Amino acid sequence: MTRKLVLFFLLILILWETGCNTVIIRPWTPPYKSRSVHDVRVLIGKAEGDLQIRGEGIISVYDANELLIKKGIDLITLDVSRLKAPIRFVAEGAGLEYKSLKVRGSIFVVPQTQGPALIVNSLPLEEYLYAVVPSEVPYSWPNEALKAQAICARTYAVREILNKKNALYDVEATTNSQVYGGLEKEHPSTTKAVQDTTGVMAVYEETPIQAFFHSNSGGKTETPENVWGGKRIPYLPTVASEFDRAGDNFYWKETISQDLIASKFSNLKIGEIQSIQVLSRTGSGRVDLMELVGSEGTARIRGKEFRQTLGAPVRSLRFGIQKEGNGYLVKGMGSGHGVGLSQWGSFGMAKENYNYVEILRHYYPGIELARITR
């Protein structure tokens, strides 16, 4: 009987019930024993001169040899320019605060040979996700969409940890990595989504996937080689995303003034810009190559360069452009780079009772799910 019970519970551990589907979640062991993936190092800032770290109650400061070098109550101030080696802040109460960002775990101050010191928050991976998921999507979203986002965020973080095992930090707290809003961003609904998927990642051939995600694909996702170059990635093809219609920026339009165009593209040295047209598109319908015709010449640029130069008015590369009055009318669909999971598509699918496994396998076809072992 005991043997049967053990086998039963082992089966429960690897079979995850999701609606009518049963998905196998296999154990996954990190490839490097020297670097745990259960903790993450987040760059939360850089500092020169006086640094203030706040906390509730006693704050302790340790040197690189884990010797206690300073203590304070609620606040510690020090001059980082005098540091020769990393130090670590630990709070007795509920977290630490750096420049109004309240965080779990500890804070490291890492001096550099040149330039400002790095301020790095080290904390358990799962607790990091408590703040990331609600920083990336609204906590009010359906639970299945939140779980899909939690797995994407965890997969992204683990891949970065593995890739940067010899670096001073793994991820940044901004959109350079994924947004990390700290303790005050946490919410019970997103914390539950993280806990319900504890340790679960998306993998392809035993490796954490490049879990790209964006706001709204405008009905069709893009392949990464069309955005950043490189080789084709099997689990990131162009897929239809009709559920994006439920979200913000599925359709959008902006009028861009002639003056803004002139100032932004003056480096092309083609004189007064008289027309802009799209010459080619990618397979997903996004702008690939454009031509700008000026009074003194013509220039061709990539769509991604055009969008990067103009910034916010061009929300995605799925757009058309035409001359209108003293400027240009831009009509587009979607928001963001378009690669991988569409967050609004995930929202729409969850609203239609798709579970998180179906959502992930739609945007990352061919992937498997695996749980990190200890």
Side-chain angles (χ1 to χ4, degrees), residues 109-131:
V109 181
V110 185
Q112 302 294 288
T113 305
Q114 293 182 331
L118 306 180
I119 313 301
V120 179
N121 177 205
S122 177
L123 74 165
L125 173 63
E126 299 299 315
E127 294 181 11
Y128 162 72
L129 298 175
Y130 293 165

Side-chain angles (χ1 to χ4, degrees), residues 354-367:
Y354 288 88
N355 59 54
Y356 76 90
V357 178
E358 293 169 314
I359 293 169
L360 291 170
R361 286 182 170 167
H362 176 75
Y363 289 105
Y364 309 110
I367 58 110

Side-chain angles (χ1 to χ4, degrees), residues 93-373:
L96 293 163
E97 180 179 339
Y98 168 72
K99 287 189 174 179
S100 77
L101 178 68
K102 295 180 180 179
V103 297
R104 295 172 178 264
S106 56
I107 289 178
F108 284 82
V109 181
V110 185
Q112 302 294 288
T113 305
Q114 293 182 331
L118 306 180
I119 313 301
V120 179
N121 177 205
S122 177
L123 74 165
L125 173 63
E126 299 299 315
E127 294 181 11
Y128 162 72
L129 298 175
Y130 293 165
V132 167
V133 177
S135 298
E136 287 287 354
V137 293
Y139 62 76
S140 58
W141 276 19
N143 191 43
E144 295 303 307
L146 297 180
K147 288 194 282 188
Q149 184 68 45
I151 291 173
C152 286
R154 184 181 294 109
T155 305
Y156 177 88
V158 170
R159 189 179 177 95
E160 290 297 286
I161 290 168
L162 295 175
N163 287 340
K164 297 179 180 176
K165 65 182 187 298
N166 297 319
L168 297 174
Y169 58 89
D170 306 308
V171 295
E172 298 182 38
T174 68
T175 53
N176 288 340
S177 297
Q178 47 190 0
V179 183
Y180 170 64
L183 263 167
E184 293 187 341
K185 196 67 179 180
E186 294 180 17
H187 189 274
S189 62
T190 43
T191 296
K192 182 178 185 301
V194 173
Q195 293 171 343
D196 285 347
T197 62
T198 299
V200 178
M201 300 186 305
V203 300
Y204 186 83
E205 296 180 346
E206 300 300 321
T207 301
I209 68 168
Q210 296 184 55
F212 297 117
F213 54 85
H214 58 280
S215 178
N216 190 317
S217 78
K220 189 174 285 189
T221 67
E222 182 59 282
T223 58
E225 66 269 23
N226 285 333
V227 179
W228 302 293
K231 296 180 179 179
R232 174 182 168 274
I233 299 174
Y235 54 82
L236 288 172
T238 293
V239 300
S241 186
E242 61 199 62
F243 294 99
D244 286 327
R245 293 179 181 274
D248 295 342
N249 292 322
F250 184 75
Y251 289 115
W252 53 268
K253 63 180 180 179
E254 293 283 351
T255 299
I256 302 175
S257 71
Q258 181 71 38
D259 289 343
L260 181 61
I261 292 288
S263 65
K264 291 289 187 179
F265 296 101
S266 59
N267 63 305
L268 297 179
K269 301 187 184 305
I270 57 173
E272 183 180 352
I273 296 174
Q274 299 169 337
S275 71
I276 302 173
Q277 58 182 319
V278 175
L279 296 182
S280 64
R281 296 180 179 273
T282 67
S284 72
R286 287 171 171 79
V287 175
D288 178 32
L289 187 63
M290 305 183 70
E291 184 176 72
L292 284 70
V293 178
S295 58
E296 298 175 13
T298 300
R300 291 185 175 186
I301 63 171
R302 292 294 173 187
K304 57 187 176 183
E305 182 184 346
F306 182 81
R307 179 178 176 231
Q308 186 176 32
T309 301
L310 284 174
V314 184
R315 296 169 212 176
S316 82
L317 285 176
R318 213 162 182 227
F319 71 86
I321 186 168
Q322 65 183 47
K323 193 83 168 72
E324 186 176 86
N326 189 31
Y328 293 85
L329 176 65
V330 182
K331 288 185 176 182
M333 299 173 70
S335 177
H337 52 63
V339 178
L341 179 137
S342 166
Q343 291 169 320
W344 275 109
S346 173
F347 169 88
M349 290 183 74
K351 281 287 190 181
E352 294 295 324
N353 297 318
Y354 288 88
N355 59 54
Y356 76 90
V357 178
E358 293 169 314
I359 293 169
L360 291 170
R361 286 182 170 167
H362 176 75
Y363 289 105
Y364 309 110
I367 58 110
E368 297 179 281
L369 297 180
R371 180 177 280 110
I372 305 166
T373 61

